[in-house]
Amino acid sequence: MLKKLFKSFRSPLRRAARPRSTPEVLGSRQHPLNRNEISRHAISVVERLQKAGYQAYLVGGCVRDLLLDIDPKDFDVATSATPEQVRAEFRNARVIGRRFKLVHVHFGREIIEVATFRANHPQGEEEENSNQAARNESGRILRDNVYGTLEDDAQRRDFTINALYYDPTQEHILDYARGMHDVRNHLVRLIGDPEQRYLEDPVRMLRAVRFAAKLDFDIEKHSAEPIRRLAPMLRDIPSARLFDEVLKLFLAGYAEYTFDLLLEHDLFAQLFPASGEALKRNPEYTEKLIRQALINTDDRVHEGKSVTPAFLFAAMLWPALPARVLYLQGKGMPPIPAMQEAAHELITEQCQRIAVPKRFTIPIREIWDMQERLPRRSGKRADLLLENPRFRAGYDFLLLRELAGEDTGGLGEWWTEYQDANDSQRRQMIRDLAGKPEAAGNAPRKRRRNNNRRKRSDDGSAAAE
């Protein structure tokens, strides 16, 4: 009640103290952008909003990527129109989001994302926790629907290279934060005080790493300095949001360099705590296995092949698994149940940090389970394993382990030859395994008892029936 009373006596002019900036305006001769390289649907959205009396610009990553001669994966529009006003202009539009309201304008498979100009959050406690804006105790933004002017929008964006506004009608760029300077100098720089911006949204630390890796930029020193200190704040981020961010980090074709930057800024252990511990216990093997998995992922992306998060997460977490299995075996649990229990515990713990969906956790466990089954090749087991839908992923994972330095007794080479062999060659390969421990699994099979039982005579001697 007292807060509401004091609020009524405060002047509405208090907000006017926020600084405003004048943009650098770059004409068509001062930048390489050509509207013919831009999605016609994105241009039509901008022009239609402008004709309706609103300000509208292409903004963010699409402008940045075009300046760097990179094909944008999508096109974003910033406008003075509210989401409801944008929706009224386009019958093919839909308002989405709660934390950050947006409008998606659909043109077949292409979606143009339209965001209303945002302003910085109000600083007074009495103005927080409204329907438009909310923060938690650490300053992290929980709701972000405070609308503002174009100047406000530029100042509240995260990085200078994302605060470039392109008007395809006039063909000029508005630069409010010296973003063109940083594009030319290959720098990722936060707008405003870096620590405050990370406190508002700790995911910006991951975004800084992602842009640096994707664009082959350096993180500007003042923007990089607080990251190691503030890295633990990622624990407060919803696990579902971190899953989306991790996919952006590792499935875009620059995963190995991303891994290096995450290690450099102490962010990797915040995303994968158990794997971070494994890096401390066995750094050479752990780093080699994860790095090779990321190299393979990058190669597949560059070749246009499909990649699955399940295999990647299986590799990320595998180095943390053996120690847990040995611990459970030390408590008297048999090998296979120990493997299953350790896998369950490890995945459950990881999902508390990164919400990996069940459609991926199940294949992860199946890939790991294959590592226990691949050595068991006697009889018809090898042929049955070849028919298993997870065989290929399990086999590829086996080769990955060998590349990282694991001694599997030539198991990977054996399976490579077995897949290429004809039927008679396969039978011989199985016969050659006779007497080898891996062929029979955990222990030799018991000899089947004969159905003809012996009878004993009255004096105790054995007699044939």
Side-chain angles (χ1 to χ4, degrees), residues 7 47 90 112 143 191 247 255 278 315 364 395-396 418 423:
K7 180 181 176 182
E47 291 179 340
F90 300 92
I112 306 301
R143 195 176 300 111
I191 297 173
L247 294 190
I364 290 171
Y395 165 73
D396 288 343
Y418 193 79
D423 188 65

Side-chain angles (χ1 to χ4, degrees), residues 126-421:
E126 77 288 346
E127 298 180 67
E128 293 286 356
N129 301 316
S130 66
N131 290 329
Q132 289 75 39
R135 299 174 188 260
N136 67 5
E137 293 179 356
S138 66
R140 180 165 63 88
I141 294 175
L142 303 176
R143 195 176 300 111
D144 188 9
N145 292 306
V146 180
Y147 303 137
T149 65
L150 172 58
E151 292 81 0
D152 291 329
D153 192 75
Q155 291 303 317
R156 62 159 295 283
R157 287 187 173 268
D158 48 8
F159 301 102
T160 60
I161 57 177
N162 290 340
L164 296 167
Y165 297 77
Y166 177 64
D167 183 348
T169 304
Q170 301 295 325
E171 295 190 65
H172 61 231
I173 293 176
L174 301 183
D175 182 359
Y176 283 89
R178 300 192 71 212
M180 288 295 293
H181 170 274
D182 289 337
V183 167
R184 295 188 187 106
N185 289 278
H186 291 192
L187 288 175
V188 175
R189 185 196 308 268
L190 274 163
I191 297 173
D193 177 64
E195 182 162 342
Q196 179 61 37
R197 301 312 301 276
Y198 291 141
L199 289 171
E200 289 175 354
D201 186 0
V203 169
R204 286 178 177 142
M205 293 183 283
L206 299 180
R207 285 169 58 81
V209 164
R210 176 157 62 89
F211 290 138
K214 173 185 176 179
L215 306 173
D216 196 19
F217 281 19
D218 294 322
I219 303 177
E220 185 269 333
K221 63 178 182 179
H222 294 100
S223 298
E225 187 277 327
I227 293 180
R228 292 181 67 89
R229 178 163 36 88
L230 299 179
M233 292 195 65
L234 287 173
R235 300 171 189 171
D236 299 330
I237 300 299
S239 57
R241 188 180 177 205
L242 283 183
F243 174 74
D244 292 336
E245 291 297 327
V246 166
L247 294 190
K248 294 175 185 177
L249 286 168
F250 292 118
L251 298 183
Y254 41 89
E256 186 188 9
Y257 186 29
T258 297
F259 178 59
D260 289 333
L261 291 175
L262 290 174
L263 291 179
E264 178 184 345
H265 296 287
D266 202 24
L267 292 167
F268 180 78
Q270 305 302 327
L271 299 174
F272 298 92
S275 302
E277 289 298 318
L279 271 169
K280 295 178 182 177
R281 289 195 307 268
N282 191 356
E284 183 177 353
Y285 167 75
T286 301
E287 182 172 341
K288 194 171 183 180
L289 185 139
I290 292 175
R291 186 176 298 280
Q292 188 59 54
L294 298 176
I295 292 172
N296 295 347
T297 300
D298 287 342
D299 289 343
R300 291 186 66 86
V301 171
H302 296 150
E303 293 168 7
K305 297 179 180 179
S306 62
V307 291
T308 171
F311 191 92
L312 187 61
F313 276 96
M316 290 286 198
L317 297 173
W318 174 264
L321 190 62
R324 293 175 181 239
V325 174
L326 290 175
Y327 172 76
L328 292 174
Q329 287 180 337
K331 295 177 66 175
M333 190 176 289
I336 292 180
M339 176 75 167
Q340 294 172 341
E341 179 63 23
H344 174 73
E345 290 179 359
L346 181 56
I347 291 174
T348 299
E349 290 175 13
Q350 182 60 45
C351 285
Q352 293 174 356
R353 186 63 54 90
I354 298 174
V356 184
K358 187 175 289 187
R359 68 180 183 274
F360 298 130
T361 59
I362 292 175
I364 290 171
R365 295 191 63 171
E366 291 173 342
I367 290 170
W368 289 349
D369 181 61
M370 269 288 172
Q371 307 313 298
E372 286 291 315
R373 298 176 64 183
L374 286 172
R376 297 169 171 79
R377 299 157 285 173
S378 62
K380 296 182 179 180
R381 288 177 177 176
D383 290 331
L384 291 174
L385 282 174
L386 277 179
E387 297 173 2
N388 191 298
R390 294 295 176 198
F391 170 79
R392 185 67 200 189
Y395 165 73
D396 288 343
F397 198 84
L398 171 65
L399 298 183
L400 177 67
R401 291 167 51 207
E402 291 182 341
L403 282 173
E406 276 194 56
D407 182 9
T408 65
L411 189 60
E413 182 181 358
W414 190 93
W415 275 110
T416 301
E417 293 178 3
Y418 193 79
Q419 292 176 75
D420 295 332

Side-chain angles (χ1 to χ4, degrees), residues 96-114:
I96 66 165
R98 292 180 58 190
R99 178 181 178 271
F100 190 98
K101 274 190 178 182
L102 299 166
V103 179
H104 280 178
V105 185
H106 295 257
F107 297 91
R109 293 186 177 181
E110 184 176 10
I111 297 175
I112 306 301
E113 191 169 273
V114 183

Side-chain angles (χ1 to χ4, degrees), residues 37-48:
E37 300 173 352
I38 298 171
S39 162
R40 61 186 178 87
H41 297 308
I43 292 177
S44 70
V45 169
V46 171
E47 291 179 340
R48 189 164 170 180

